[in-house]
Amino acid sequence: MYKIACIMGKSSSGKDHIYKALLLREELHLKNIVMYTTRPKRSGEMEGVEYYFTDEETADQMERDGKIIELRRYDTVYGVWKYFTADDGQIDLEQGRYLVIGTLEVYEKFCQYYGKEVVMPIYIEVDDGIRLERALTREKKQVEPKYREMCRRFLADCEDFSEERLKKAGITRRFENNGRIEDCIDEIAGVIASEMLT
């Protein structure tokens, strides 16, 4: 049976960039898992790449049908946004290795669903000041910047990724992304190659 590598970290920690870079490393043979969301598409995002963008009705139907592996609801300043992973045929651990991006809750739900022994945690850590600068730069590029939501998300990360919760989930190793992101990507790729491909 193959494994699933789960990239997680606070907002603006570089998860999306790292995720995409790792998928491009052919020697790692990683398949992506595309999650679903009911939030509006951001500038530059593409359907089926960052997420499958769906509506509330479809999300509720998938939940009723028992197709949800994990689901998070965020009460944002724009209403409730859902993010979830569905058992929709994307994942077959007999056929390959996978890479998923999400929160600590996503990691825990994947462990419950597939077994902790097949889910590898990859926690990205970034200085809060650097994260805030990155978040503001990204939000300014949006057609309609949502600064209040950016601030809410930034503050919520303190609780979502508290040291207590990380310890409880068994997350001990951290990959720092405070400098050159390529160095962080190389370090993660090395760990995946040595621990996931054997």
Side-chain angles (χ1 to χ4, degrees), residues 13 125-127 130 134 175-185:
S13 60
E125 193 164 66
V126 176
D127 172 80
I130 294 172
R134 290 176 182 172
F175 298 89
E176 290 192 11
N177 183 24
N178 291 318
R180 280 178 22 96
I181 195 166
E182 291 79 13
D183 294 337
C184 183
I185 294 165

Side-chain angles (χ1 to χ4, degrees), residues 19-50:
Y19 174 80
K20 290 173 185 175
L22 290 171
L23 286 174
L24 291 174
R25 300 238 177 155
E26 293 181 8
E27 72 275 11
L28 297 179
H29 306 289
L30 294 168
K31 299 179 181 183
N32 69 318
I33 300 170
V34 181
M35 293 184 174
Y36 293 75
T37 185
T38 60
R39 77 152 167 78
K41 193 185 301 183
R42 292 181 184 145
S43 299
E45 289 183 326
M46 295 175 60
E47 174 71 21
V49 178
E50 286 83 10

Side-chain angles (χ1 to χ4, degrees), residues 39-193:
R39 77 152 167 78
K41 193 185 301 183
R42 292 181 184 145
S43 299
E45 289 183 326
M46 295 175 60
E47 174 71 21
V49 178
E50 286 83 10
Y51 293 97
Y52 288 120
F53 295 92
T54 190
D55 57 27
E56 190 74 26
E57 184 179 325
T58 303
D60 289 345
Q61 185 61 52
M62 291 177 84
E63 193 169 12
R64 285 192 298 273
D65 291 344
K67 294 186 175 182
I68 304 295
I69 295 171
E70 59 80 27
L71 183 144
R72 291 146 285 131
R73 292 175 177 87
Y74 296 103
D75 189 9
T76 76
V77 295
Y78 298 96
V80 175
W81 290 348
K82 292 181 180 178
Y83 293 79
F84 60 95
T85 309
D87 190 352
D88 59 0
Q90 289 185 69
I91 304 168
D92 182 350
L93 292 175
E94 298 298 325
Q95 299 297 317
R97 303 169 185 93
Y98 294 86
L99 187 65
V100 67
I101 185 171
T103 63
L104 187 58
E105 185 181 351
V106 169
Y107 168 71
E108 292 171 328
K109 294 286 187 178
F110 266 76
C111 287
Q112 290 171 14
Y113 198 86
Y114 291 104
K116 194 164 189 172
E117 67 281 357
V118 298
V119 186
M120 174 188 288
I122 298 174
Y123 180 63
I124 312 298
E125 193 164 66
V126 176
D127 172 80
D128 281 346
I130 294 172
R131 283 196 316 109
L132 189 55
E133 288 175 5
R134 290 176 182 172
L136 187 55
T137 299
R138 180 176 70 184
E139 205 58 40
K140 283 180 178 178
K141 294 177 182 175
Q142 300 301 310
V143 175
E144 293 182 32
K146 296 176 172 61
Y147 297 117
R148 287 175 58 204
E149 173 56 21
M150 180 200 79
C151 292
R152 183 210 61 80
R153 191 171 59 242
F154 187 88
L155 293 172
D157 283 337
C158 295
E159 183 178 334
D160 293 344
F161 289 98
S162 68
E163 288 300 320
E164 183 180 329
R165 288 198 66 194
L166 289 169
K167 183 177 180 181
K168 185 178 177 184
I171 308 295
T172 55
R173 181 169 43 201
R174 293 145 194 249
F175 298 89
E176 290 192 11
N177 183 24
N178 291 318
R180 280 178 22 96
I181 195 166
E182 291 79 13
D183 294 337
C184 183
I185 294 165
D186 287 341
E187 183 183 0
I188 295 168
V191 169
I192 289 175

